[in-house]
Amino acid sequence: MEHRSLLRLAVPAVASLLALTTACTGGTVQGRPGASGLRDPYFPKAGNGGYQVDHYALDLDYDPADGELHGTAVITARAEQGLSSFNLDLSGLKVEGVTVQGVGARFNRTGNELTVRPAEDLKKGEVFRTEVEYGGKPKTLTDADGSKEGWITTEDGGAGADGRGSARARAGAVGVGEPVGSMTWFPGNHHPSDKATYDITLTVPRGYEAVSNGELRSRTEGADGRTEFAWHSPEPMASYLATAVVGPYKVTTGRTPSGTGLYNAVAPGEAAASAGALARLPEMVEWGSGRFGPYPFGTAGAVVLPAGTLGYALETQTKPVFPGAPESEELVLHELAHQWFGNSVSPKSWKDMWLNEGFATYAEWLWAEDHGGPTAQQHFEAFLAGDTAVDEAADSAWDAFPPASPPGPDHISDEPVYYRGAMVLHRIRQEVGDEKFFALVRGWAADHRHGNASTADFTAYAQEKTGRDLKKVWDVWLYGEDRPK
Ligand code: ZN
């Protein structure tokens, strides 16, 4: 089509276009720089434009004695435009070298952006392999809301009191990344909209356990006194859900009644207090599969960190991490529910966080309803009435802002995102009845399995699936500034 209109262009324009064409066919592809951020409404610099990652192969060597991490990240990605350069997100650490397609590439760093300039431009559609060699002491980030993420060193797991070795010698570490902390321990396209499969290989001193997402493919004792743990995640994962845990953990394995593999790693000092809640995990996986549809991953489990490591639990893929023994069975259920809502169906942007937290909170209400606790209706009413006898969060600031529109990045994990988010779901259930509601929940998990979805995707889907106009629910509960009544 276009070449026909070319003939009508003025002669100089034709000449320069011909020059461009010649340059292209002559081997030099005309790429342009990929964007340094994906313009997320809350974290505009998170992620990068111009490519999508298919796979991360991270080879990480960690020494708890000096806190040094050394790694190679092999990132296989597809160019979505001609690229003269592209960015990876990386915070701290020293980059020792970068190759693209096996050829040395130039790179430079500003802030959390690592800009890579391949020797040859990449063509649109090209699948290319970037290898980054890096290392140093990874840092801990403090989020806008004051919580810690990134790389966090842990104490002795409560086992120091037995007098064996110093706490330092038995220390460990954990990498967590919601919303942006994964850039402290590996370079990548750190935005939930770009999901990829992972192989995370962790090498640690003998005597330590090293745990990550997915299944343990091999555990190899090296002649050098170090042990290599090769973890494989065959299902796509958003980078904020990646984890690496190193320490003197107690590992137990098992299976759910229907055969999903379980892998729990518990800090020794937390073992007794964790046993009760973790014992219910197999049953919870089965229950979730009944309520939400098949469990989305090949493995399940949990990591219980030494108490006080973190201020929150996180739904790291296949193995949520808990900051000490889980305080309740509902917390274990909450992080498990995220495996469907957040991990399999991931947010398109950080504005869609209520789709994670509202669903995971509602799952707690459903679990209670199915196990002799308060019904979801009772939970809903308790929040409206501020009745802490039913739920201790009922008098919290759940009404402070509409869940689909947190006032800023420091509010994406606030109460309205969780509790008012769950109330949105209950309002839908009140409107459409149980049959349509549960068909909607299962359909949502199935239709967006291992993908990404936004609030607009959800509201459109809910209306289509239930055949009902739910505009009032959206206006009042999801987007309305006033406290709903
Ligand atoms: Zn949650």
Side-chain angles (χ1 to χ4, degrees):
M1 289 288 164
E2 272 180 29
H3 59 269
R4 223 178 280 158
S5 59
L6 252 186
L7 298 173
R8 281 185 231 118
L9 290 175
V11 172
V14 175
S16 63
L17 274 168
L18 283 176
L20 187 68
T21 313
T22 315
C24 288
T25 51
T28 327
V29 184
Q30 302 288 309
R32 56 195 166 87
S36 62
L38 288 171
R39 300 178 184 226
D40 182 276
Y42 295 82
F43 301 93
K45 287 303 227 181
N48 304 285
Y51 66 93
Q52 290 258 340
V53 179
D54 293 328
H55 185 73
Y56 292 88
L58 309 177
D59 231 309
L60 309 177
D61 197 300
Y62 184 68
D63 186 354
D66 63 8
E68 293 253 344
L69 178 79
H70 285 275
T72 307
V74 178
I75 302 169
T76 309
R78 182 182 296 270
E80 293 183 308
Q81 63 175 65
L83 285 168
S84 55
S85 69
F86 61 91
N87 280 19
L88 294 166
D89 302 318
L90 182 68
S91 177
L93 303 172
K94 185 179 185 316
V95 174
E96 278 130 24
V98 181
T99 64
V100 177
Q101 299 294 57
V103 181
R106 286 198 284 174
F107 62 90
N108 69 278
R109 304 189 65 186
T110 13
N112 300 328
E113 300 293 334
L114 164 62
T115 303
V116 177
R117 179 181 291 277
E120 262 190 60
D121 286 10
L122 298 160
K123 295 187 214 52
K124 182 176 178 177
E126 186 174 350
V127 174
F128 64 101
R129 189 185 139 104
T130 304
E131 190 166 327
V132 181
E133 223 183 291
Y134 66 100
K137 269 194 190 151
K139 54 182 179 180
T140 305
L141 301 181
T142 303
D143 289 337
D145 72 352
S147 47
K148 306 267 185 227
E149 56 160 336
W151 192 261
I152 296 156
T153 56
T154 53
E155 290 307 319
D156 65 354
D162 66 6
R164 281 184 290 141
S166 67
R168 185 183 163 80
R170 296 173 63 82
V174 57
V176 285
E178 187 183 42
V180 294
S182 293
M183 67 180 171
T184 66
W185 57 282
F186 66 97
N189 197 19
H190 291 303
H191 188 266
S193 59
D194 188 4
K195 296 166 71 163
T197 54
Y198 283 71
D199 279 286
I200 301 180
T201 300
L202 303 168
T203 303
V204 296
R206 184 168 300 164
Y208 283 80
E209 297 294 329
V211 185
S212 189
N213 316 90
E215 64 186 81
L216 184 60
R217 279 256 172 104
S218 64
R219 174 192 175 122
T220 314
E221 303 275 342
D224 56 355
R226 299 179 76 77
T227 314
E228 183 199 271
F229 296 78
W231 290 93
H232 176 65
S233 294
E235 304 92 358
M237 176 163 77
S239 78
Y240 78 92
L241 298 165
T243 192
V245 186
V246 178
Y249 288 85
K250 279 192 172 174
V251 171
T252 51
T253 59
R255 282 197 184 278
T256 67
S258 68
T260 299
L262 289 167
Y263 192 104
N264 292 342
V266 180
E270 301 297 315
S274 301
L278 293 187
R280 302 207 67 178
L281 195 52
E283 176 195 349
M284 289 176 177
V285 174
E286 305 303 327
W287 175 84
S289 303
R291 276 290 187 208
F292 312 134
Y295 178 72
F297 303 104
T299 62
V303 175
V304 178
L305 303 169
T309 305
L310 270 182
Y312 55 87
L314 186 65
E315 64 267 27
T316 39
Q317 196 145 300
T318 69
K319 288 180 200 68
V321 295
F322 297 89
E327 63 197 27
S328 66
E329 181 182 304
E330 283 77 15
L331 181 62
V332 176
L333 192 280
H334 178 106
E335 305 309 335
L336 174 69
H338 274 308
Q339 307 304 314
W340 285 265
F341 306 109
N343 300 13
S344 169
V345 185
S346 304
K348 273 189 183 161
S349 89
W350 289 112
K351 199 170 184 173
D352 304 313
M353 185 78 155
W354 81 276
L355 287 171
N356 289 11
E357 303 303 346
F359 267 101
T361 303
Y362 199 69
E364 292 180 60
W365 297 1
L366 290 173
W367 170 262
E369 180 169 304
D370 285 356
H371 294 84
T375 61
Q377 176 68 22
Q378 284 168 329
H379 264 109
F380 179 81
E381 285 168 8
F383 276 86
L384 278 178
D387 177 3
T388 53
V390 175
D391 191 314
E392 36 180 57
D395 66 349
S396 67
W398 64 265
D399 58 345
F401 56 80
S405 189
D410 45 342
H411 294 286
I412 62 166
S413 293
D414 283 6
E415 289 87 348
V417 174
Y418 287 72
Y419 305 116
R420 193 163 150 185
M423 293 168 91
V424 170
L425 297 173
H426 193 70
R427 282 293 297 112
I428 300 170
R429 187 176 171 190
Q430 289 176 335
E431 291 295 320
V432 306
D434 279 12
E435 198 177 316
K436 283 190 170 169
F437 177 74
F438 287 108
L440 162 64
V441 170
R442 276 192 291 271
W444 176 247
D447 271 40
H448 295 279
R449 186 177 163 91
H450 297 316
N452 291 86
S454 67
T455 300
D457 293 330
F458 178 75
T459 54
Y461 184 82
Q463 303 212 140
E464 187 200 301
K465 185 84 179 169
T466 63
R468 297 284 290 272
D469 180 1
L470 297 164
K471 185 169 185 303
K472 267 201 181 143
V473 176
W474 316 140
D475 286 354
V476 174
W477 284 88
L478 198 48
Y479 298 111
E481 291 293 336
D482 298 338
R483 177 190 168 104
K485 287 189 268 298

